[in-house]
Amino acid sequence: MSEQWLNEGLYESWGQRFRVRKELARVKSPFQDIVVFESDSHGRVLMLDGVVQITEADEFVYQEMLTHVPLFTHPDPRRVLIIGAGDGGVLRRVLEHRAVEKAVMVEIDGAVIELSKQHLPGIAGDAWNDARAEVIVGDGIAYVEAASDASFDVIIVDSTDPIGVGEVLFTDSFYEHCARILGPNGLIVNQCGVPFMQADELHETSLRRAKFFPQVSAYVAAVPTYVGGFMTLGIASKGNDPTQQDVGTVKARAEKAGVLGTTQYWTPEIHVGSFNLPPYIAKHLPSGN
């Protein structure tokens, strides 16, 4: 890190940089290099292996879309498995849903959880102390392999890109076990990168999921610090087609859940519209989706 600026290292030929007000933490865990710093423009920022994961300024976009879309797509989500998401933002949004009875979060790197609690407490809020939450520091792959059949309704995977510690969350074996532990209407969501720069990520992940799920699609969210245009969130369902939803139904469910009017990005209209993909993104989905 220079004295004044920090450059993100996701792409070799293009990127972004932040003016650093203060470095808050720099830790080398057994899994990755972790940096938390105070920026001039985006509040506090969490970086893993030189790549921006979350910022205080725009975390709501990613967290709301990664959570509320699957939970309002599934007809009755009560048991939710979260893999990754060590900052606690997804856990917080899951627990905003009144009908959720259990949220299990499995994060492989305990250092991310502890540093987020210390330096980014506003992202998770009180989620860590919710009686419905079970937070496990452990291997998400091993947890999924050992979980019982049909034990969850929704799986949310908030991982790094398919490199390093996150690579094993993009394999055939992982998706096969996810399909097994999901109930009849179960669905899984995971980030599939920015297709303007990472089109292979969306394409290959969609093909893998299509082997085990009858409905495979994606939706988009505009996250400022995930540079390159829309971020795609891949969704695969054992039940209904996620792309065939209507605003009225989603709105009614959001009102009942206590979420309507509490968000900064997600709305019923954004929810339904986010499945309308530009052709340059849609072409990377399996044929017919």
Side-chain angles (χ1 to χ4, degrees):
M1 182 183 291
S2 68
E3 196 170 306
Q4 201 171 23
W5 293 91
L6 189 150
N7 295 316
E8 183 180 34
L10 181 58
Y11 308 120
E12 290 184 2
S13 57
W14 186 39
Q16 62 182 325
R17 65 177 187 164
F18 295 85
R19 190 195 302 272
V20 178
R21 182 174 294 169
K22 182 182 180 182
E23 183 177 304
L24 302 171
R26 180 178 288 270
V27 174
K28 186 173 181 63
S29 79
F31 302 99
Q32 56 207 335
D33 293 325
I34 309 168
V35 175
V36 184
F37 65 93
E38 184 87 34
S39 72
D40 269 357
S41 55
H42 290 70
R44 295 185 174 187
V45 180
L46 169 67
M47 297 186 79
L48 301 179
D49 288 336
V51 179
V52 173
Q53 302 300 311
I54 215 76
T55 81
E56 287 182 320
D58 68 0
E59 58 88 20
F60 64 90
V61 181
Y62 180 68
Q63 313 272 33
E64 289 178 5
M65 292 298 284
L66 190 62
T67 303
H68 296 321
V69 172
L71 264 63
F72 287 130
T73 297
H74 189 283
D76 187 24
R78 297 183 181 274
R79 305 157 300 164
V80 181
L81 173 62
I82 305 164
I83 298 179
D87 55 75
V90 171
L91 181 64
R92 170 188 160 193
R93 267 71 178 202
V94 167
L95 294 170
E96 288 175 353
H97 291 248
R98 294 170 180 164
V100 169
E101 298 170 353
K102 187 72 173 178
V104 179
M105 172 182 152
V106 185
E107 163 63 56
I108 197 169
D109 196 340
V112 174
I113 295 176
E114 293 309 312
L115 289 170
S116 296
K117 287 181 177 180
Q118 181 179 355
H119 298 294
L120 300 160
I123 289 182
D126 295 328
W128 304 117
N129 303 314
D130 194 299
R132 297 171 292 163
E134 180 183 356
V135 178
I136 299 169
V137 177
D139 185 351
I141 300 296
Y143 185 92
V144 167
E145 289 178 350
S148 301
D149 293 0
S151 53
F152 289 97
D153 301 309
V154 173
I155 299 174
I156 300 173
V157 183
D158 180 17
S159 70
T160 57
D161 289 302
I163 52 177
V165 69
E167 186 173 5
V168 290
L169 298 174
F170 291 79
T171 64
D172 283 4
S173 176
F174 174 70
Y175 290 120
E176 183 175 17
H177 279 292
C178 285
R180 178 184 60 78
I181 71 172
L182 283 167
N185 293 303
L187 55 86
I188 180 173
V189 170
N190 64 293
Q191 69 89 0
C192 289
V194 176
F196 184 78
M197 294 294 290
Q198 301 166 302
D200 287 349
E201 192 170 318
L202 174 62
H203 180 72
E204 292 173 7
T205 301
S206 298
L207 289 176
R208 290 184 187 280
R209 291 179 305 175
K211 297 176 183 178
F212 311 106
F213 292 88
Q215 306 288 347
V216 174
S217 189
Y219 58 99
V220 293
V223 186
T225 46
Y226 299 158
V227 296
F230 283 121
M231 158 69 71
T232 50
L233 300 167
I235 186 168
S237 172
K238 295 172 70 174
N240 296 330
D241 183 352
T243 67
Q244 302 300 309
Q245 300 183 67
D246 67 90
V247 171
T249 300
V250 175
K251 185 175 182 179
R253 292 190 58 192
E255 187 169 18
K256 183 178 180 181
V259 172
L260 192 66
T262 68
T263 56
Q264 297 184 72
Y265 186 92
W266 181 94
T267 66
E269 293 80 7
I270 292 291
H271 177 123
V272 173
S274 67
F275 286 94
N276 294 316
L277 303 179
Y280 87 92
I281 297 177
K283 69 180 182 181
H284 298 294
L285 292 172
S287 178
N289 288 279

